[in-house]
């Protein structure tokens, strides 16, 4: 799978890393448990099985954009869920999402990144036990503002990151 991701400004990224650390220190599921050097807080804009060699220049020229990370939410899956911060969809974020999709052209978009179905968020924990949700919520901060400052391409097969 190939994804195009929006990276956060340094201060916002540091806040999210702090939340990952607090969750992990409490013995809870945390995105920080992934020690890969490519693991960074981000907002996924596009996920497909393939993205050809295209230019994302139009999208990159829209950066930086302001971001608002909301109070934590949970995407439930049985007795577990994904703990995340929703990202408010502003005109700037909608324009960036559209520019990325225009550049990539038509394709087999993952539903959660397709136009009309996109749920922008920053993941804090995957597979969090729902019975630990109250504990997890005490460890994460309040809503905050920041910026999206860069785009990258993530190839899950080769486990490589390419700055765009």
């Amino acid at each position: 799978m190939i994804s195009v991701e929006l990276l956060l400004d340094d201060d916002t990224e540091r806040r999210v890393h702090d939340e990952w650390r607090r969750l992990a220190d409490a013995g809870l599921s945390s995105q920080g448990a992934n020690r890969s050097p490519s693991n960074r807080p981000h907002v996924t804009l596009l996920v497909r099985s393939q993205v050809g060699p295209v230019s994302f220049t139009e999208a990159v020229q829209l950066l930086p954009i302001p971001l608002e990370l909301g109070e934590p939410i949970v995407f439930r899956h049985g007795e577990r869920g994904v703990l995340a911060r929703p990202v408010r969809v502003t005109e700037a974020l909608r324009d960036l999402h559209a520019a990325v999709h225009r550049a990539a052209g038509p394709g087999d978009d993952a539903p959660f990144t397709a136009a009309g179905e996109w749920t922008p968020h920053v993941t804090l924990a995957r597979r969090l036990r729902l019975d630990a949700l109250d504990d997890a919520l005490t460890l994460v901060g309040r809503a905050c503002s920041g910026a999206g400052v860069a785009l990258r391409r993530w190839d899950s097969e080769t486990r490589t990151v390419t700055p765009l």
Side-chain angles (χ1 to χ4, degrees):
M1 296 300 285
I2 304 294
S3 62
V4 175
E5 302 167 346
L6 174 62
L7 300 177
L8 311 177
D9 66 274
D10 291 342
D11 288 340
T12 307
E13 182 168 324
R14 196 171 11 264
R15 275 184 276 204
V16 174
H17 274 286
D18 288 346
E19 291 176 336
W20 288 359
R21 181 189 43 74
R22 287 194 300 272
L23 290 165
D25 288 351
L28 299 173
S29 177
S30 169
Q31 192 63 15
N34 177 348
R35 298 293 184 197
S36 169
S38 64
N39 183 36
R40 292 180 66 181
H42 64 272
V43 178
T44 303
L45 300 168
L46 173 84
V47 174
R48 291 190 178 163
S49 59
Q50 289 296 318
V51 176
V54 298
S55 170
F56 289 95
T57 302
E58 176 194 355
V60 170
Q61 290 175 344
L62 297 174
L63 300 173
I65 62 167
L67 293 178
E68 296 177 36
L69 281 65
E71 297 291 328
I73 60 170
V74 177
F75 301 110
R76 296 173 187 265
H77 305 285
E79 293 184 8
R80 296 193 179 256
V82 173
L83 180 64
R85 287 201 172 278
V87 178
R88 184 170 161 260
V89 180
T90 61
E91 185 175 343
L93 186 58
R94 192 177 305 110
D95 289 348
L96 178 65
H97 183 252
V100 165
H101 281 259
R102 270 193 308 279
D108 59 341
D109 295 339
F112 63 90
T113 65
E117 300 177 56
W118 182 45
T119 307
H121 64 277
V122 175
T123 301
L124 302 177
R126 298 181 189 280
R127 300 191 43 76
L128 177 71
R129 291 184 340 273
L130 294 181
D131 62 4
L133 180 58
D134 287 342
D135 292 335
L137 291 174
T138 66
L139 299 170
V140 296
R142 302 182 59 90
C144 64
S145 297
V149 296
L151 295 179
R152 71 178 187 174
R153 175 187 170 126
W154 162 246
D155 184 323
S156 64
E157 184 176 313
T158 63
R159 304 195 71 71
T160 56
V161 171
T162 305
L164 299 175

